[in-house]
Amino acid sequence: MTTITHKPQNPIAHLSPEQIEALGAELDAIRQEVIDTRGERDAAYIRKVVDVQRKLELGSRAVLLASIFPPAWLLGTAGLSVAKILENMEIGHNVMHGQWDWMRDPKIHSTTWEWDNATPSEAWKHSHNQVHHTHTNIVGKDNDLGYGIMRVDEEQRWYPLYLAQPLWNFINACFFEYGIAAYDLELGRNLSKPKDKRPESFRQGVKDTLTKIRKQATKDYVVNPALAIPTGSFLPALAANFTANLVRNLWSHSVIMCGHFPEGVETFELNAIPEKETRGEWYLRQMLGSANFSGSKAMHIMSGNLSHQIEHHLFPDLPSNRYAEVAPKVRAVFEKYELTYLTRPFVPQVASAWHKVVRLSFPNGWLETTTPKNLPSQLVALYKITTADKRKRRVMLKLLERKAKQEYAEAA
């Protein structure tokens, strides 16, 4: 992935400013149509999902009181995993986007909802709703691009530490809720500053996050297992809660990866974004900076309807149950303006995202110039690049890129 303005063929070069604004007007019309028809069926949908989630969580925790018996452990763990995924994805994420604020129901409102996650809702709403959705895929502005810990663009300078990013990404997936909490705090950036220069908002954020983590840990790793002591199920219940959180984290990470990191998703240079970005230009960036995945209705619900990530980025405040309805209309706009509507089935989309993570962990050109036959010599070259000083490494990296381009030109 290279920022869109540096690509040999810019995928939006054929669009005039007038066409971009016309595109924006068509998308505005699609959005307004949903707003005009929101009503009881939408309210009934979210209330039913909340009701099912709460009953499923309560029932699963009750079953885990006897989790010393394997069937009870399996049933309770599976139910709790699904309940946690539903709460995070289809309920929490979407409620905090304000998708259901129009109902004026304080129980399902973005200002009152606190989700089952390590990061406080207010911190998440700032980093996600305000920063990420406003500056989608702008390198240097959208911290969701690699979460500040991964190389996700060829134009990012390569360092040896990126060789470990596939492992780091997997660890991050396992403990995703804590990674998001650290990300929301901008932990790395703030800890790099002297203590006396860290903003008060950071210190308060750390306090709020630790309080939230303590509450979550107490519920999952103290109260629920302790209630299971009379049946001798303390350790099985503890393991079940840990497993449910692990499953939820892995699933959430996979869904987010599918929507933001697959091959084909575009990134943008900050200096190429107009100072006063128009509605049409913002829409266009959302269209090209997101990806969908296909699946069953159950998969859409379990993903928080982020299987329709393109539609979500275009219309983040529309009820999630309406994304499937507007998707064909959005796709028609893509086709009309000759843009790529990036979608694949779930497994290929996850594989595509992981392929990018692995590909960009190596220096530009290394994989392109590596074959089974020359692998030993390529590993030696990689070792030399990794252990070289900064100046020599830059020279070696440029030579490697030049070699890759030369081989590509000869093959073409």
Side-chain angles (χ1 to χ4, degrees):
M1 181 167 61
T2 301
T3 52
I4 197 168
T5 48
H6 288 177
K7 288 200 163 186
Q9 291 184 326
N10 188 325
I12 60 173
H14 63 286
L15 295 177
S16 67
E18 293 75 21
Q19 286 176 308
I20 293 173
E21 294 317 301
L23 171 152
E26 291 187 43
L27 291 172
D28 273 339
I30 293 172
R31 179 178 183 274
Q32 191 61 46
E33 185 179 354
V34 175
I35 290 175
D36 292 343
T37 56
R38 287 182 307 198
E40 185 52 39
R41 73 180 177 102
D42 303 299
Y45 169 81
I46 189 59
R47 288 188 174 122
K48 181 178 180 180
V49 172
V50 171
D51 182 59
V52 168
Q53 187 278 328
R54 288 175 175 169
K55 288 177 179 176
L56 181 59
E57 180 174 0
L58 183 62
S60 299
R61 290 190 181 280
V63 171
L64 289 175
L65 298 180
S67 55
I68 193 171
F69 303 106
W73 190 91
L74 290 171
L75 182 62
T77 303
L80 187 58
S81 299
V82 172
K84 282 179 171 287
I85 289 171
L86 276 175
E87 198 284 331
N88 268 197
M89 305 301 289
E90 181 65 336
I91 304 173
H93 171 273
N94 296 331
V95 168
M96 291 191 295
H97 260 296
Q99 293 182 6
W100 308 100
D101 286 1
W102 58 273
M103 292 168 56
R104 304 289 192 270
D105 184 343
K107 296 179 182 178
I108 315 174
H109 201 277
S110 63
T111 59
T112 59
W113 191 271
E114 188 57 65
W115 61 346
D116 178 25
N117 205 285
T119 188
S121 61
E122 287 303 316
W124 181 87
K125 283 188 286 187
H126 169 73
S127 63
H128 185 80
N129 294 0
Q130 296 178 32
V131 179
H132 168 59
H133 274 270
T134 301
H135 306 296
T136 304
N137 285 25
I138 299 176
V139 178
K141 290 290 284 185
D142 182 6
N143 290 332
D144 272 32
L145 279 173
Y147 303 110
I149 59 174
M150 291 194 300
R151 182 174 183 252
V152 294
D153 194 289
E154 286 93 339
E155 293 176 15
Q156 286 179 263
R157 183 174 293 175
W158 182 88
Y159 295 102
L161 62 88
Y162 287 126
L163 288 171
Q165 81 175 20
L167 174 61
W168 179 244
N169 192 43
F170 176 71
I171 295 172
N172 183 43
C174 293
F175 301 97
F176 194 47
E177 61 177 317
Y178 300 105
I180 291 298
Y183 162 76
D184 290 339
L185 288 168
E186 296 186 322
L187 201 58
R189 180 181 302 176
N190 281 296
L191 290 181
S192 65
K193 301 176 182 177
K195 266 191 175 183
D196 59 339
K197 292 187 178 180
R198 294 170 191 169
E200 178 58 33
S201 59
F202 171 67
R203 287 189 283 269
Q204 184 60 47
V206 170
K207 183 179 178 181
D208 293 343
T209 299
L210 290 176
T211 299
K212 183 70 187 297
I213 290 174
R214 184 173 66 250
K215 288 180 180 178
Q216 297 299 111
T218 300
K219 177 183 67 175
D220 285 344
Y221 303 130
V222 178
V223 175
N224 190 234
L227 291 173
I229 289 176
T231 64
S233 300
F234 177 84
L235 289 178
L238 183 69
N241 277 271
F242 177 81
T243 302
N245 282 323
L246 176 64
V247 170
R248 185 267 315 274
N249 288 338
L250 289 170
W251 175 254
S252 301
H253 182 269
S254 295
V255 170
I256 300 306
M257 288 275 287
C258 283
H260 296 89
F261 299 123
E263 302 284 6
V265 169
E266 304 291 356
T267 56
F268 306 84
E269 277 190 300
L270 179 59
N271 60 13
I273 304 300
E275 186 176 342
K276 293 184 178 180
E277 190 176 36
T278 67
R279 184 72 169 168
E281 289 167 337
W282 182 85
Y283 271 139
L284 188 59
R285 185 156 49 80
Q286 309 307 313
M287 294 166 79
L288 301 181
S290 311
N292 288 1
F293 63 84
S294 56
S296 65
K297 185 175 181 179
M299 179 172 282
H300 293 316
I301 293 173
M302 291 296 285
S303 73
N305 276 287
L306 295 181
S307 47
H308 302 291
Q309 187 71 244
I310 294 171
E311 288 71 27
H312 172 62
H313 264 267
L314 291 172
F315 315 120
D317 59 346
L318 293 187
S320 58
N321 63 309
R322 304 292 287 274
Y323 288 149
E325 175 186 318
V326 303
K329 300 174 185 178
V330 169
R331 190 163 191 163
V333 173
F334 272 78
E335 292 172 357
K336 178 178 179 179
Y337 292 94
E338 299 178 11
L339 299 169
T340 300
Y341 187 87
L342 186 57
T343 184
R344 301 181 181 96
F346 177 70
V347 173
Q349 199 69 299
V350 172
S352 175
W354 272 97
H355 176 268
K356 181 187 290 183
V357 169
V358 173
R359 178 171 65 83
L360 292 174
S361 68
F362 294 103
N364 293 346
W366 189 84
L367 281 177
E368 292 86 342
T369 57
T370 300
T371 65
K373 189 175 181 179
N374 71 358
L375 180 59
S377 61
Q378 284 290 90
L379 289 173
V380 171
L382 181 61
Y383 175 77
K384 289 180 179 179
I385 293 172
T386 302
T387 55
D389 59 51
K390 290 183 180 179
R391 183 179 177 184
K392 191 174 181 180
R393 183 186 304 135
R394 289 179 186 178
V395 174
M396 296 170 77
L397 290 173
K398 287 181 180 179
L399 290 173
L400 182 59
E401 284 193 66
R402 192 179 302 168
K403 180 183 177 183
K405 289 178 180 178
Q406 183 179 350
E407 289 188 5
Y408 177 81
E410 290 175 354

